[in-house]
Structure formats: C-alpha cells, structure tokens
Amino acid sequence: MQHIDPDHHDGTSDATPGGEPDKRRPGELVFALVMLLASLFLLNSAYGIAGFDALSSPGAIPMATTAAMVLSAAVILWNTAKLPLDRTESLIKDILPLTVVMFALFLVAFGVLLKPLGFLPTSALFLIAAIKILGKRSWGWTVGIAVFSLVVVWLIFRIVFTVLMPAGIVPEAELIQFFRNVFAGGAQ
C-alpha cells in the first residue's frame, strides 16, 4: 500500500471536479487551451465536409456540434484563466505522476506494435508489464494472470464473437483451423 502524503491528500476521493472550486490546478489552463484548439480544428474539419450552404447540408450537424464544443471550451478557458493557481499541488506529483505518464506511453506503444506484432503478443507484453508494475507480485503470478486474461479475452472476442484482430507474427488462423480439425475429427 502506498503512503498517502497528508500535505496533498487525506486519502479520500476528490469529489470536487478540478480540485478546489476557487483555485486552478497545475496544467488545467493548458488543458483548457488544448481543448479549445482541438475544438477549433474539428470545426474547421467539419466545415471542410461541405461548407455551410444550408441547414440540410452534410456538414451542418458536425459544424453545429463542433461550434458548441468551441463555445464550451472558450467559456471553460475563460473561467479557468480567472482562477488563481493552487500552489499546494505540483503537476508531476499530483496531476501527472510517473505511473500515469508511463501508462500513457504504454498505450502509445501498444498502438504502434499492434499491427506489426499482432493482437496476442502486443496484448501479452502490455498485460505483463501493467500487472507487474501495478501488482508488484512475482513473475510467475504476473505471467499466469496475464496469459489467463489474454486467453479469456481472445476466446470471447475471436472465437465467440468472431472479431478479427491483427494477426501479426502469431498464425492465429492456422491454430483455429487446427483445433477445428481436431474437434471435427473427434466428433465423427
């Protein structure tokens, strides 16, 4: 169990969204600005669908939606900018600790490795690393839980729901056909 720093947290959940209602948390202003810029980009993309010729044009609904996003993000940015910064918190310790940054990088690596390696090896690497880091258990327990979880997920999605996943370096189709042949031969 981790030690709770009494200077920053009392061990309970922060029920107030964004921390204290009269202070701005570290990184909050930058996040609000990024949301406004992303909304403006999406509004421009929506305009690129068909322009704004009529309310019935293909881009009308996406433009209305993204315009609402721009307006909301601008109001949030304005209100956030007016608040004083909470000096009792730090970005690295309270908002983006190392574990959060590491898992964000894990997710990027998962996305990059998914196509060349395939679903099974990429998911196995991700699960083993995640369980080992978060669980702090033995390698045997970590690998066992990761492989068991991966097999269950693979069986449900690939076999039951027949969802196609990136095959990569594992010959999934051949394995599935092998087991079909084994079970079909036993049924005759």
Side-chain angles (χ1 to χ4, degrees), residues 3-141:
H3 171 72
I4 297 172
D5 184 0
D7 292 336
H8 293 87
H9 302 287
D10 62 0
T12 61
S13 175
D14 185 1
T16 306
E20 296 182 44
D22 59 342
K23 291 186 181 172
R24 176 172 35 99
R25 298 183 91 176
E28 196 171 358
L29 186 62
V30 173
F31 183 77
L33 178 63
V34 168
M35 290 297 101
L36 177 61
L37 294 175
S39 299
L40 287 168
F41 172 77
L42 290 173
L43 178 61
N44 185 48
S45 297
Y47 181 77
I49 292 174
F52 187 67
D53 296 333
L55 288 175
S56 61
S57 71
I61 298 298
M63 283 181 58
T65 304
T66 53
M69 289 171 55
V70 168
L71 182 62
S72 299
V75 169
I76 291 169
L77 178 63
W78 176 261
N79 290 337
T80 302
K82 292 190 299 184
L83 295 174
L85 181 62
D86 185 354
R87 301 273 181 206
T88 63
E89 293 183 324
S90 70
L91 184 69
I92 293 185
K93 186 172 184 178
D94 300 301
I95 310 299
L96 287 174
L98 179 62
T99 306
V100 172
V101 173
M102 184 174 21
F103 274 87
L105 293 174
F106 279 1
L107 290 173
V108 170
F110 184 91
V112 169
L113 295 175
L114 189 58
K115 188 167 184 170
L117 292 182
F119 175 76
L120 290 174
T122 304
S123 298
L125 289 171
F126 178 81
L127 284 173
I128 290 168
I131 293 170
K132 184 65 180 162
I133 289 167
L134 295 175
K136 295 179 173 72
R137 302 284 295 264
S138 70
W139 278 105
W141 187 87

